[in-house]
Amino acid sequence: MALFKLLVNGRSYQADVDPDTPLLWVLRDHFGLVGTKYGCGIAQCGACSVHLNGEATRSCVLPVSVVGKSKVTTIEGLSSDGTHPVQLAWDKIDVPQCGYCQAGQIMTAAALLKRNPKPTEAEIDETMTGNLCRCGTYHRIREAVKVAADHSVSGSSKTPKTK
């Protein structure tokens, strides 16, 4: 066991865990941040996606010992009140069906829009293809990313409008 100090959602946390413990389990079991979901455990589905220094990262295979001083953002830290453009777009388009994959989908979409505020449909599909949705809401996911991109570019704090 070792003591790890992590910066998660702008707050300092500590966990005394084995260095090989996946970040996912530290977030969920030690910090009580359960918005990040366990899906496959082999970084293939995206349900566990969080931001590590702003980049979407699969937390189910990332050993806590690798995190170091990196800034971790979970779905709980994306916005304090659910007003991140991606969250607003998800609500506007009514993306979730069962909702299990949605935190990972949202985190991946938010990272995409941070590095590319106006992605093409092909860029959206390429980025989001690694996140699996068992309910098959891919068309609504794509539309919500486009709506969030329009909202992010406009800088408006109002609810995104659909085209």
Side-chain angles (χ1 to χ4, degrees):
M1 301 297 251
L3 185 63
F4 293 94
K5 296 179 183 179
L6 303 178
L7 182 60
V8 181
N9 300 331
R11 182 174 163 208
S12 294
Y13 288 89
Q14 292 185 47
D16 189 15
V17 296
D18 186 281
D20 290 333
T21 303
L23 177 61
L24 171 65
W25 299 118
V26 174
L27 294 170
R28 290 182 60 81
D29 296 345
H30 296 273
F31 302 160
L33 299 170
V34 296
T36 305
K37 303 298 185 205
Y38 173 79
C40 66
I42 56 173
Q44 296 297 304
C45 74
C48 68
S49 295
V50 298
H51 292 175
L52 193 65
N53 292 327
E55 291 295 321
T57 304
R58 307 293 169 92
S59 65
C60 70
V61 295
L62 182 69
V64 69
S65 59
V66 174
V67 175
K69 296 186 185 298
S70 297
K71 293 178 184 176
V72 177
T73 305
T74 67
I75 190 71
E76 294 93 343
L78 194 58
S79 75
S80 62
D81 58 0
T83 58
H84 186 280
V86 175
Q87 292 170 312
L88 291 172
W90 244 246
D91 186 46
K92 180 78 174 174
I93 302 301
D94 197 22
V95 172
Q97 190 164 321
C98 83
Y100 197 82
C101 70
Q102 296 308 303
Q105 300 276 4
I106 289 170
M107 296 305 287
T108 300
L112 166 63
L113 294 176
K114 186 173 183 174
R115 75 174 179 276
N116 181 358
K118 199 69 172 154
T120 65
E121 197 165 285
E123 290 168 328
I124 293 169
D125 290 347
E126 181 181 337
T127 299
M128 301 305 295
T129 196
N131 287 66
L132 302 180
C133 175
R134 294 177 76 177
C135 301
T137 64
Y138 298 111
H139 62 289
R140 293 195 313 242
I141 290 167
R142 181 188 308 116
E143 183 62 25
V145 175
K146 291 191 301 190
V147 168
D150 289 344
H151 178 64
S152 296
V153 171
S154 72
S156 170
S157 62
K158 296 178 183 173
T159 303
K161 295 181 176 17
T162 56
K163 292 182 180 175

